Amino acid sequence: MGSRKQVEKDLAKMLFVNENISQKEIAERLFVTEKTVSKWVNEGDWEKLKVSLLVTKDSQLTALYAQLQAVNDEIKTRPVVRDIPNFMLKPIKLKDSSGDEKLEYPKYNPEDYPILIGNFPNSKDTDMISKLTTAIKRLETETNIGETITVAKNLILFIRTIEPAFANQLTKYCDAFIKQKMTDGTN
């Protein structure tokens, strides 16, 4: 398949899978036959791909933010454990004035001992936080061809309510722009 046909097929796949555009409209927009689009859909199992594509960028971001919040909540609510020597935690035998033995725990101030485990991040926590924030930043800042298509589609739908003829013309330019981005590899 030639480069131009491959770009058309890739764009058709993106429109079909991500944008839920009918095979007929894809054929019209790409100036290919419905039979060609149908062949691409069947050969590539695009229907299955469309169904399996439930994880969107927004849902991924929501999940990552939830994970980051869970890590921070766990750190905040983590009990503080002090490095108190074992002998301070065991009772000692004492005799009272009458000679009777009793067990008594040594008195100490926990604040006098360093924190062993606390409600601040350890190296494992900071590594996880760093990875989550990096993934969030990447998802929030990078755009891909699917997002370009979504923006173009939303713009066309908006303009179609105001000026349908111009929206049809804009659709051709948006399709050309997207094809060019796919050809250049500048997703």
Side-chain angles (χ1 to χ4, degrees):
M1 182 181 302
S3 177
R4 184 178 149 269
K5 275 292 181 197
Q6 185 61 47
V7 168
E8 287 174 347
K9 184 177 180 180
D10 291 344
L11 179 55
K13 180 179 180 181
M14 191 70 67
L15 293 170
F16 183 81
V17 173
N18 295 336
E19 302 305 321
N20 203 27
I21 295 177
S22 71
Q23 291 182 31
K24 180 179 180 178
E25 188 176 346
I26 292 170
E28 290 170 0
R29 286 174 67 172
L30 299 181
F31 303 106
V32 296
T33 65
E34 280 185 68
K35 184 177 179 180
T36 299
V37 175
S38 178
K39 178 181 169 195
W40 290 341
V41 168
N42 293 330
E43 286 177 353
D45 273 339
W46 293 359
E47 287 287 352
K48 285 182 184 176
L49 184 59
K50 183 192 276 189
V51 171
S52 70
L53 201 62
L54 298 175
V55 179
T56 64
K57 182 177 181 176
D58 288 339
S59 66
Q60 287 178 324
L61 276 170
T62 301
L64 287 171
Y65 275 118
Q67 290 172 11
L68 185 59
Q69 186 62 49
V71 169
N72 285 323
D73 288 345
E74 192 276 327
I75 291 168
K76 266 193 278 186
T77 58
R78 190 181 290 161
V80 175
V81 177
R82 301 237 173 216
D83 193 12
I84 300 168
N86 281 338
F87 72 87
M88 298 294 286
L89 302 173
K90 295 180 182 175
I92 53 174
K93 287 184 188 179
L94 297 175
K95 289 187 180 183
D96 60 14
S97 57
S98 61
D100 293 332
E101 287 184 355
K102 65 178 185 176
L103 293 176
E104 194 173 291
Y105 286 90
K107 298 194 184 323
Y108 64 90
N109 182 0
E111 305 280 319
D112 293 340
Y113 297 94
I115 295 174
L116 185 62
I117 299 171
N119 49 2
F120 50 88
N122 56 35
S123 61
K124 184 179 174 184
D125 297 329
T126 56
D127 183 51
M128 185 181 305
I129 290 169
S130 175
K131 287 178 180 176
L132 287 169
T133 54
T134 299
I136 289 168
K137 182 179 179 182
R138 189 176 336 109
L139 277 172
E140 287 181 333
T141 58
E142 291 180 3
T143 59
N144 60 33
I145 196 69
E147 291 163 329
T148 303
I149 291 170
T150 300
V151 170
K153 175 186 163 198
N154 290 337
L155 177 63
I156 291 165
L157 290 174
F158 171 74
I159 292 174
R160 188 169 284 151
T161 63
I162 302 167
E163 202 173 322
F166 179 65
N168 290 338
Q169 186 179 6
L170 181 61
T171 299
K172 292 174 187 170
Y173 286 115
C174 287
D175 287 347
F177 174 70
I178 292 165
K179 283 182 190 177
Q180 184 65 44
K181 283 183 68 78
M182 292 175 74
T183 301
D184 293 348
T186 56
N187 303 344

Short mmCIF file of all heavy atoms in Angstrom, two decimals, residues 120-182:
data_model
loop_
_atom_site.label_atom_id
_atom_site.label_comp_id
_atom_site.label_asym_id
_atom_site.label_seq_id
_atom_site.Cartn_x
_atom_site.Cartn_y
_atom_site.Cartn_z
N PHE A 120 5.73 11.21 56.72
CA PHE A 120 6.44 11.91 55.66
C PHE A 120 6.92 10.84 54.68
O PHE A 120 7.09 9.69 55.05
CB PHE A 120 7.60 12.75 56.22
CG PHE A 120 8.51 11.99 57.14
CD1 PHE A 120 9.58 11.29 56.65
CD2 PHE A 120 8.27 11.97 58.51
CE1 PHE A 120 10.41 10.58 57.49
CE2 PHE A 120 9.10 11.26 59.37
CZ PHE A 120 10.18 10.55 58.85
N PRO A 121 7.11 11.22 53.43
CA PRO A 121 7.45 10.20 52.42
C PRO A 121 8.85 9.62 52.62
O PRO A 121 9.79 10.34 52.92
CB PRO A 121 7.35 10.95 51.10
CG PRO A 121 7.37 12.39 51.43
CD PRO A 121 6.96 12.54 52.85
N ASN A 122 8.94 8.32 52.43
CA ASN A 122 10.25 7.67 52.41
C ASN A 122 10.72 7.58 50.96
O ASN A 122 10.04 8.07 50.05
CB ASN A 122 10.18 6.30 53.10
CG ASN A 122 9.14 5.39 52.47
OD1 ASN A 122 8.91 5.42 51.26
ND2 ASN A 122 8.48 4.58 53.30
N SER A 123 11.83 6.95 50.70
CA SER A 123 12.37 6.91 49.33
C SER A 123 11.44 6.16 48.37
O SER A 123 11.30 6.54 47.21
CB SER A 123 13.77 6.28 49.32
OG SER A 123 13.72 4.95 49.79
N LYS A 124 10.79 5.12 48.86
CA LYS A 124 9.83 4.38 48.02
C LYS A 124 8.64 5.28 47.66
O LYS A 124 8.19 5.29 46.52
CB LYS A 124 9.37 3.12 48.76
CG LYS A 124 8.47 2.23 47.96
CD LYS A 124 8.09 0.99 48.77
CE LYS A 124 7.06 0.16 48.05
NZ LYS A 124 6.61 -0.97 48.84
N ASP A 125 8.16 6.03 48.65
CA ASP A 125 7.04 6.94 48.41
C ASP A 125 7.41 8.03 47.41
O ASP A 125 6.65 8.33 46.49
CB ASP A 125 6.59 7.61 49.71
CG ASP A 125 6.05 6.64 50.74
OD1 ASP A 125 5.48 5.60 50.34
OD2 ASP A 125 6.20 6.91 51.95
N THR A 126 8.58 8.63 47.60
CA THR A 126 8.99 9.72 46.70
C THR A 126 9.18 9.21 45.28
O THR A 126 8.86 9.92 44.32
CB THR A 126 10.26 10.43 47.18
OG1 THR A 126 11.30 9.48 47.36
CG2 THR A 126 10.01 11.17 48.47
N ASP A 127 9.67 7.99 45.13
CA ASP A 127 9.82 7.40 43.80
C ASP A 127 8.45 7.24 43.14
O ASP A 127 8.27 7.58 41.97
CB ASP A 127 10.54 6.05 43.90
CG ASP A 127 10.80 5.44 42.53
OD1 ASP A 127 11.34 6.14 41.65
OD2 ASP A 127 10.44 4.25 42.34
N MET A 128 7.48 6.73 43.91
CA MET A 128 6.13 6.53 43.37
C MET A 128 5.49 7.88 43.02
O MET A 128 4.89 8.03 41.96
CB MET A 128 5.25 5.78 44.37
CG MET A 128 3.87 5.45 43.81
SD MET A 128 2.82 4.58 44.99
CE MET A 128 3.81 3.18 45.42
N ILE A 129 5.64 8.86 43.91
CA ILE A 129 5.08 10.19 43.66
C ILE A 129 5.70 10.80 42.41
O ILE A 129 5.01 11.38 41.56
CB ILE A 129 5.28 11.10 44.89
CG1 ILE A 129 4.38 10.63 46.03
CG2 ILE A 129 5.00 12.56 44.56
CD1 ILE A 129 4.69 11.28 47.38
N SER A 130 6.99 10.65 42.27
CA SER A 130 7.69 11.18 41.11
C SER A 130 7.19 10.54 39.81
O SER A 130 6.95 11.23 38.82
CB SER A 130 9.20 10.95 41.26
OG SER A 130 9.88 11.36 40.10
N LYS A 131 7.03 9.23 39.83
CA LYS A 131 6.55 8.53 38.63
C LYS A 131 5.12 8.93 38.29
O LYS A 131 4.78 9.13 37.11
CB LYS A 131 6.66 7.02 38.82
CG LYS A 131 8.09 6.52 38.76
CD LYS A 131 8.18 5.03 39.02
CE LYS A 131 9.64 4.59 38.95
NZ LYS A 131 9.82 3.19 39.29
N LEU A 132 4.27 9.06 39.30
CA LEU A 132 2.88 9.46 39.05
C LEU A 132 2.81 10.88 38.50
O LEU A 132 2.08 11.14 37.54
CB LEU A 132 2.05 9.35 40.33
CG LEU A 132 1.70 7.93 40.79
CD1 LEU A 132 1.11 7.94 42.19
CD2 LEU A 132 0.75 7.26 39.81
N THR A 133 3.57 11.80 39.09
CA THR A 133 3.51 13.19 38.61
C THR A 133 4.11 13.32 37.22
O THR A 133 3.62 14.12 36.42
CB THR A 133 4.21 14.16 39.59
OG1 THR A 133 5.54 13.70 39.84
CG2 THR A 133 3.45 14.27 40.89
N THR A 134 5.11 12.53 36.90
CA THR A 134 5.67 12.54 35.55
C THR A 134 4.64 12.04 34.54
O THR A 134 4.46 12.64 33.46
CB THR A 134 6.94 11.67 35.48
OG1 THR A 134 7.91 12.20 36.37
CG2 THR A 134 7.52 11.62 34.08
N ALA A 135 3.94 10.97 34.88
CA ALA A 135 2.91 10.44 33.98
C ALA A 135 1.77 11.45 33.81
O ALA A 135 1.27 11.64 32.69
CB ALA A 135 2.37 9.12 34.52
N ILE A 136 1.39 12.11 34.88
CA ILE A 136 0.34 13.13 34.81
C ILE A 136 0.78 14.28 33.91
O ILE A 136 0.02 14.71 33.03
CB ILE A 136 -0.04 13.63 36.22
CG1 ILE A 136 -0.79 12.55 36.99
CG2 ILE A 136 -0.87 14.91 36.15
CD1 ILE A 136 -0.95 12.83 38.47
N LYS A 137 1.98 14.75 34.11
CA LYS A 137 2.49 15.87 33.31
C LYS A 137 2.53 15.50 31.83
O LYS A 137 2.14 16.29 30.97
CB LYS A 137 3.88 16.27 33.80
CG LYS A 137 4.45 17.47 33.05
CD LYS A 137 5.80 17.86 33.58
CE LYS A 137 6.35 19.05 32.80
NZ LYS A 137 7.68 19.43 33.25
N ARG A 138 3.00 14.30 31.55
CA ARG A 138 3.08 13.85 30.15
C ARG A 138 1.69 13.80 29.51
O ARG A 138 1.50 14.28 28.39
CB ARG A 138 3.75 12.48 30.07
CG ARG A 138 4.07 12.06 28.65
CD ARG A 138 4.82 10.74 28.53
NE ARG A 138 5.59 10.31 29.66
CZ ARG A 138 5.25 9.29 30.45
NH1 ARG A 138 4.17 8.59 30.23
NH2 ARG A 138 6.02 8.94 31.47
N LEU A 139 0.72 13.26 30.24
CA LEU A 139 -0.64 13.18 29.69
C LEU A 139 -1.27 14.56 29.53
O LEU A 139 -2.04 14.78 28.61
CB LEU A 139 -1.52 12.32 30.60
CG LEU A 139 -1.44 10.82 30.40
CD1 LEU A 139 -2.21 10.10 31.49
CD2 LEU A 139 -1.95 10.42 29.04
N GLU A 140 -0.96 15.48 30.44
CA GLU A 140 -1.56 16.80 30.38
C GLU A 140 -0.94 17.69 29.30
O GLU A 140 -1.61 18.58 28.79
CB GLU A 140 -1.46 17.51 31.73
CG GLU A 140 -2.39 16.94 32.76
CD GLU A 140 -2.30 17.64 34.10
OE1 GLU A 140 -1.23 18.21 34.43
OE2 GLU A 140 -3.29 17.61 34.83
N THR A 141 0.31 17.46 28.97
CA THR A 141 0.99 18.38 28.06
C THR A 141 1.16 17.86 26.63
O THR A 141 1.22 18.66 25.71
CB THR A 141 2.38 18.77 28.60
OG1 THR A 141 3.17 17.58 28.78
CG2 THR A 141 2.26 19.52 29.91
N GLU A 142 1.26 16.57 26.46
CA GLU A 142 1.47 16.03 25.11
C GLU A 142 0.13 15.89 24.38
O GLU A 142 -0.88 15.52 24.97
CB GLU A 142 2.15 14.67 25.17
CG GLU A 142 3.59 14.75 25.64
CD GLU A 142 4.26 13.39 25.69
OE1 GLU A 142 3.64 12.38 25.31
OE2 GLU A 142 5.41 13.36 26.13
N THR A 143 0.15 16.20 23.13
CA THR A 143 -1.04 15.99 22.31
C THR A 143 -0.70 14.95 21.26
O THR A 143 0.43 14.81 20.83
CB THR A 143 -1.51 17.28 21.61
OG1 THR A 143 -0.45 17.76 20.79
CG2 THR A 143 -1.92 18.33 22.61
N ASN A 144 -1.72 14.24 20.84
CA ASN A 144 -1.51 13.26 19.79
C ASN A 144 -2.52 13.52 18.68
O ASN A 144 -3.35 14.41 18.77
CB ASN A 144 -1.62 11.83 20.34
CG ASN A 144 -2.98 11.55 20.95
OD1 ASN A 144 -4.00 12.07 20.50
ND2 ASN A 144 -3.02 10.72 21.97
N ILE A 145 -2.43 12.74 17.65
CA ILE A 145 -3.29 12.95 16.48
C ILE A 145 -4.76 12.78 16.86
O ILE A 145 -5.63 13.48 16.32
CB ILE A 145 -2.87 12.03 15.31
CG1 ILE A 145 -3.49 12.50 14.00
CG2 ILE A 145 -3.22 10.58 15.59
CD1 ILE A 145 -2.94 13.79 13.49
N GLY A 146 -5.05 11.91 17.80
CA GLY A 146 -6.43 11.70 18.23
C GLY A 146 -7.02 12.96 18.84
O GLY A 146 -8.17 13.31 18.60
N GLU A 147 -6.20 13.66 19.64
CA GLU A 147 -6.67 14.91 20.24
C GLU A 147 -6.85 15.99 19.19
O GLU A 147 -7.78 16.80 19.27
CB GLU A 147 -5.71 15.35 21.33
CG GLU A 147 -5.76 14.42 22.52
CD GLU A 147 -4.57 14.59 23.43
OE1 GLU A 147 -3.47 14.92 22.94
OE2 GLU A 147 -4.74 14.37 24.63
N THR A 148 -5.95 16.03 18.21
CA THR A 148 -6.09 16.99 17.11
C THR A 148 -7.40 16.75 16.38
O THR A 148 -8.13 17.70 16.07
CB THR A 148 -4.89 16.86 16.13
OG1 THR A 148 -3.68 17.06 16.87
CG2 THR A 148 -4.98 17.87 15.01
N ILE A 149 -7.71 15.50 16.16
CA ILE A 149 -8.97 15.16 15.48
C ILE A 149 -10.16 15.58 16.35
O ILE A 149 -11.13 16.13 15.84
CB ILE A 149 -9.02 13.64 15.16
CG1 ILE A 149 -8.00 13.31 14.06
CG2 ILE A 149 -10.42 13.20 14.75
CD1 ILE A 149 -7.78 11.83 13.83
N THR A 150 -10.07 15.35 17.65
CA THR A 150 -11.17 15.73 18.54
C THR A 150 -11.41 17.23 18.53
O THR A 150 -12.56 17.69 18.44
CB THR A 150 -10.87 15.25 19.98
OG1 THR A 150 -10.74 13.83 19.97
CG2 THR A 150 -11.97 15.65 20.94
N VAL A 151 -10.34 18.01 18.59
CA VAL A 151 -10.49 19.46 18.56
C VAL A 151 -11.08 19.91 17.23
O VAL A 151 -12.00 20.74 17.20
CB VAL A 151 -9.13 20.15 18.82
CG1 VAL A 151 -9.20 21.65 18.55
CG2 VAL A 151 -8.66 19.90 20.25
N ALA A 152 -10.56 19.35 16.13
CA ALA A 152 -11.09 19.71 14.81
C ALA A 152 -12.57 19.36 14.71
O ALA A 152 -13.39 20.15 14.21
CB ALA A 152 -10.29 19.01 13.72
N LYS A 153 -12.93 18.18 15.19
CA LYS A 153 -14.34 17.74 15.14
C LYS A 153 -15.23 18.68 15.94
O LYS A 153 -16.30 19.10 15.46
CB LYS A 153 -14.45 16.32 15.69
CG LYS A 153 -15.86 15.81 15.79
CD LYS A 153 -15.89 14.46 16.48
CE LYS A 153 -17.28 14.13 16.95
NZ LYS A 153 -17.28 13.08 17.94
N ASN A 154 -14.80 19.04 17.15
CA ASN A 154 -15.60 19.93 17.98
C ASN A 154 -15.75 21.31 17.36
O ASN A 154 -16.82 21.91 17.41
CB ASN A 154 -15.01 20.03 19.39
CG ASN A 154 -15.19 18.74 20.17
OD1 ASN A 154 -16.08 17.94 19.89
ND2 ASN A 154 -14.34 18.53 21.15
N LEU A 155 -14.67 21.80 16.74
CA LEU A 155 -14.74 23.09 16.05
C LEU A 155 -15.72 23.02 14.88
O LEU A 155 -16.56 23.91 14.71
CB LEU A 155 -13.35 23.51 15.57
CG LEU A 155 -13.27 24.80 14.76
CD1 LEU A 155 -13.70 25.98 15.63
CD2 LEU A 155 -11.87 25.01 14.23
N ILE A 156 -15.62 21.97 14.10
CA ILE A 156 -16.52 21.81 12.94
C ILE A 156 -17.98 21.71 13.41
O ILE A 156 -18.86 22.33 12.82
CB ILE A 156 -16.10 20.57 12.11
CG1 ILE A 156 -14.76 20.85 11.42
CG2 ILE A 156 -17.17 20.21 11.09
CD1 ILE A 156 -14.07 19.62 10.88
N LEU A 157 -18.23 20.94 14.47
CA LEU A 157 -19.59 20.81 14.98
C LEU A 157 -20.14 22.16 15.47
O LEU A 157 -21.30 22.49 15.24
CB LEU A 157 -19.66 19.79 16.12
CG LEU A 157 -19.46 18.33 15.71
CD1 LEU A 157 -19.39 17.43 16.95
CD2 LEU A 157 -20.57 17.87 14.78
N PHE A 158 -19.29 22.96 16.09
CA PHE A 158 -19.70 24.28 16.54
C PHE A 158 -20.03 25.18 15.36
O PHE A 158 -21.08 25.82 15.32
CB PHE A 158 -18.59 24.90 17.40
CG PHE A 158 -18.83 26.35 17.73
CD1 PHE A 158 -19.78 26.71 18.66
CD2 PHE A 158 -18.10 27.35 17.10
CE1 PHE A 158 -20.01 28.04 18.98
CE2 PHE A 158 -18.32 28.68 17.40
CZ PHE A 158 -19.28 29.03 18.34
N ILE A 159 -19.14 25.20 14.39
CA ILE A 159 -19.35 26.08 13.22
C ILE A 159 -20.54 25.60 12.40
O ILE A 159 -21.27 26.43 11.84
CB ILE A 159 -18.05 26.16 12.38
CG1 ILE A 159 -16.99 26.92 13.17
CG2 ILE A 159 -18.31 26.83 11.03
CD1 ILE A 159 -15.63 26.97 12.55
N ARG A 160 -20.77 24.29 12.38
CA ARG A 160 -21.90 23.75 11.60
C ARG A 160 -23.24 24.33 12.09
O ARG A 160 -24.15 24.53 11.29
CB ARG A 160 -21.91 22.23 11.68
CG ARG A 160 -22.92 21.58 10.75
CD ARG A 160 -22.73 20.09 10.63
NE ARG A 160 -21.59 19.83 9.78
CZ ARG A 160 -20.80 18.77 9.87
NH1 ARG A 160 -21.04 17.84 10.76
NH2 ARG A 160 -19.78 18.62 9.05
N THR A 161 -23.34 24.64 13.37
CA THR A 161 -24.59 25.23 13.90
C THR A 161 -24.76 26.68 13.46
O THR A 161 -25.87 27.18 13.44
CB THR A 161 -24.62 25.17 15.44
OG1 THR A 161 -23.57 25.97 15.96
CG2 THR A 161 -24.53 23.75 15.94
N ILE A 162 -23.66 27.33 13.11
CA ILE A 162 -23.71 28.73 12.72
C ILE A 162 -23.73 28.89 11.20
O ILE A 162 -24.55 29.64 10.65
CB ILE A 162 -22.49 29.50 13.29
CG1 ILE A 162 -22.48 29.37 14.82
CG2 ILE A 162 -22.49 30.96 12.85
CD1 ILE A 162 -21.18 29.80 15.45
N GLU A 163 -22.80 28.17 10.55
CA GLU A 163 -22.66 28.31 9.10
C GLU A 163 -22.30 26.96 8.48
O GLU A 163 -21.12 26.64 8.31
CB GLU A 163 -21.58 29.36 8.81
CG GLU A 163 -21.71 29.97 7.44
CD GLU A 163 -20.73 31.12 7.26
OE1 GLU A 163 -20.49 31.89 8.20
OE2 GLU A 163 -20.21 31.22 6.14
N PRO A 164 -23.29 26.16 8.13
CA PRO A 164 -23.06 24.80 7.64
C PRO A 164 -22.15 24.72 6.41
O PRO A 164 -21.31 23.82 6.32
CB PRO A 164 -24.45 24.27 7.31
CG PRO A 164 -25.38 25.13 8.10
CD PRO A 164 -24.72 26.45 8.25
N ALA A 165 -22.29 25.64 5.48
CA ALA A 165 -21.47 25.59 4.26
C ALA A 165 -19.99 25.77 4.60
O ALA A 165 -19.13 25.05 4.07
CB ALA A 165 -21.92 26.66 3.27
N PHE A 166 -19.71 26.71 5.49
CA PHE A 166 -18.32 26.93 5.89
C PHE A 166 -17.79 25.72 6.66
O PHE A 166 -16.62 25.36 6.53
CB PHE A 166 -18.18 28.20 6.72
CG PHE A 166 -16.78 28.46 7.18
CD1 PHE A 166 -15.77 28.72 6.27
CD2 PHE A 166 -16.45 28.40 8.53
CE1 PHE A 166 -14.46 28.94 6.69
CE2 PHE A 166 -15.15 28.61 8.96
CZ PHE A 166 -14.15 28.89 8.03
N ALA A 167 -18.64 25.09 7.47
CA ALA A 167 -18.23 23.90 8.23
C ALA A 167 -17.79 22.79 7.28
O ALA A 167 -16.81 22.09 7.55
CB ALA A 167 -19.35 23.43 9.13
N ASN A 168 -18.50 22.62 6.16
CA ASN A 168 -18.12 21.60 5.18
C ASN A 168 -16.76 21.91 4.57
O ASN A 168 -15.93 21.02 4.37
CB ASN A 168 -19.18 21.47 4.09
CG ASN A 168 -20.46 20.84 4.62
OD1 ASN A 168 -20.44 20.14 5.63
ND2 ASN A 168 -21.57 21.11 3.96
N GLN A 169 -16.55 23.20 4.28
CA GLN A 169 -15.26 23.61 3.72
C GLN A 169 -14.15 23.41 4.76
O GLN A 169 -13.07 22.92 4.44
CB GLN A 169 -15.34 25.08 3.28
CG GLN A 169 -14.11 25.56 2.55
CD GLN A 169 -14.24 27.03 2.12
OE1 GLN A 169 -15.20 27.70 2.45
NE2 GLN A 169 -13.26 27.50 1.38
N LEU A 170 -14.43 23.79 6.00
CA LEU A 170 -13.44 23.64 7.07
C LEU A 170 -13.10 22.17 7.29
O LEU A 170 -11.94 21.84 7.58
CB LEU A 170 -13.97 24.27 8.36
CG LEU A 170 -13.03 24.21 9.57
CD1 LEU A 170 -11.73 24.96 9.29
CD2 LEU A 170 -13.72 24.78 10.80
N THR A 171 -14.07 21.29 7.15
CA THR A 171 -13.84 19.85 7.31
C THR A 171 -12.76 19.38 6.34
O THR A 171 -11.86 18.61 6.72
CB THR A 171 -15.15 19.07 7.09
OG1 THR A 171 -16.09 19.49 8.07
CG2 THR A 171 -14.92 17.57 7.22
N LYS A 172 -12.82 19.85 5.10
CA LYS A 172 -11.81 19.46 4.09
C LYS A 172 -10.42 19.94 4.52
O LYS A 172 -9.44 19.21 4.40
CB LYS A 172 -12.19 20.03 2.73
CG LYS A 172 -13.43 19.40 2.15
CD LYS A 172 -13.86 20.08 0.86
CE LYS A 172 -15.22 19.53 0.42
NZ LYS A 172 -15.79 20.28 -0.67
N TYR A 173 -10.35 21.18 5.03
CA TYR A 173 -9.06 21.70 5.46
C TYR A 173 -8.53 20.96 6.70
O TYR A 173 -7.34 20.66 6.78
CB TYR A 173 -9.15 23.21 5.76
CG TYR A 173 -9.24 24.06 4.52
CD1 TYR A 173 -10.38 24.80 4.25
CD2 TYR A 173 -8.18 24.13 3.62
CE1 TYR A 173 -10.48 25.58 3.11
CE2 TYR A 173 -8.26 24.91 2.47
CZ TYR A 173 -9.41 25.63 2.23
OH TYR A 173 -9.48 26.40 1.10
N CYS A 174 -9.41 20.67 7.61
CA CYS A 174 -9.00 19.91 8.81
C CYS A 174 -8.50 18.52 8.43
O CYS A 174 -7.48 18.06 8.95
CB CYS A 174 -10.15 19.82 9.81
SG CYS A 174 -10.50 21.37 10.66
N ASP A 175 -9.23 17.86 7.53
CA ASP A 175 -8.79 16.53 7.08
C ASP A 175 -7.42 16.61 6.41
O ASP A 175 -6.55 15.76 6.66
CB ASP A 175 -9.82 15.93 6.12
CG ASP A 175 -11.08 15.48 6.83
OD1 ASP A 175 -11.07 15.40 8.07
OD2 ASP A 175 -12.07 15.20 6.12
N ALA A 176 -7.21 17.63 5.59
CA ALA A 176 -5.91 17.80 4.92
C ALA A 176 -4.81 18.06 5.96
O ALA A 176 -3.71 17.50 5.86
CB ALA A 176 -5.99 18.95 3.91
N PHE A 177 -5.12 18.89 6.95
CA PHE A 177 -4.15 19.20 8.00
C PHE A 177 -3.78 17.93 8.77
O PHE A 177 -2.60 17.66 9.03
CB PHE A 177 -4.75 20.25 8.95
CG PHE A 177 -3.90 20.53 10.15
CD1 PHE A 177 -2.69 21.20 10.03
CD2 PHE A 177 -4.32 20.14 11.42
CE1 PHE A 177 -1.91 21.47 11.15
CE2 PHE A 177 -3.56 20.40 12.54
CZ PHE A 177 -2.34 21.07 12.40
N ILE A 178 -4.77 17.14 9.12
CA ILE A 178 -4.52 15.91 9.87
C ILE A 178 -3.73 14.91 9.03
O ILE A 178 -2.79 14.28 9.52
CB ILE A 178 -5.86 15.31 10.37
CG1 ILE A 178 -6.46 16.24 11.44
CG2 ILE A 178 -5.68 13.90 10.91
CD1 ILE A 178 -7.91 15.98 11.77
N LYS A 179 -4.08 14.78 7.76
CA LYS A 179 -3.31 13.90 6.87
C LYS A 179 -1.86 14.34 6.81
O LYS A 179 -0.94 13.51 6.86
CB LYS A 179 -3.90 13.92 5.45
CG LYS A 179 -5.15 13.12 5.27
CD LYS A 179 -5.61 13.19 3.82
CE LYS A 179 -6.97 12.62 3.61
NZ LYS A 179 -7.43 12.76 2.23
N GLN A 180 -1.65 15.65 6.73
CA GLN A 180 -0.29 16.17 6.67
C GLN A 180 0.48 15.87 7.95
O GLN A 180 1.64 15.44 7.91
CB GLN A 180 -0.30 17.70 6.42
CG GLN A 180 1.06 18.31 6.26
CD GLN A 180 1.78 17.80 5.02
OE1 GLN A 180 1.18 17.69 3.96
NE2 GLN A 180 3.03 17.44 5.16
N LYS A 181 -0.16 16.05 9.10
CA LYS A 181 0.48 15.74 10.37
C LYS A 181 0.85 14.25 10.45
O LYS A 181 1.91 13.90 10.95
CB LYS A 181 -0.41 16.12 11.55
CG LYS A 181 -0.44 17.61 11.85
CD LYS A 181 -1.28 17.94 13.06
CE LYS A 181 -0.73 17.48 14.35
NZ LYS A 181 0.33 18.20 14.98
N MET A 182 -0.05 13.41 9.94
CA MET A 182 0.22 11.97 9.98
C MET A 182 1.34 11.60 9.02
O MET A 182 2.15 10.72 9.31
CB MET A 182 -1.06 11.19 9.68
CG MET A 182 -2.09 11.32 10.79
SD MET A 182 -3.65 10.53 10.43
CE MET A 182 -3.18 8.81 10.62
#
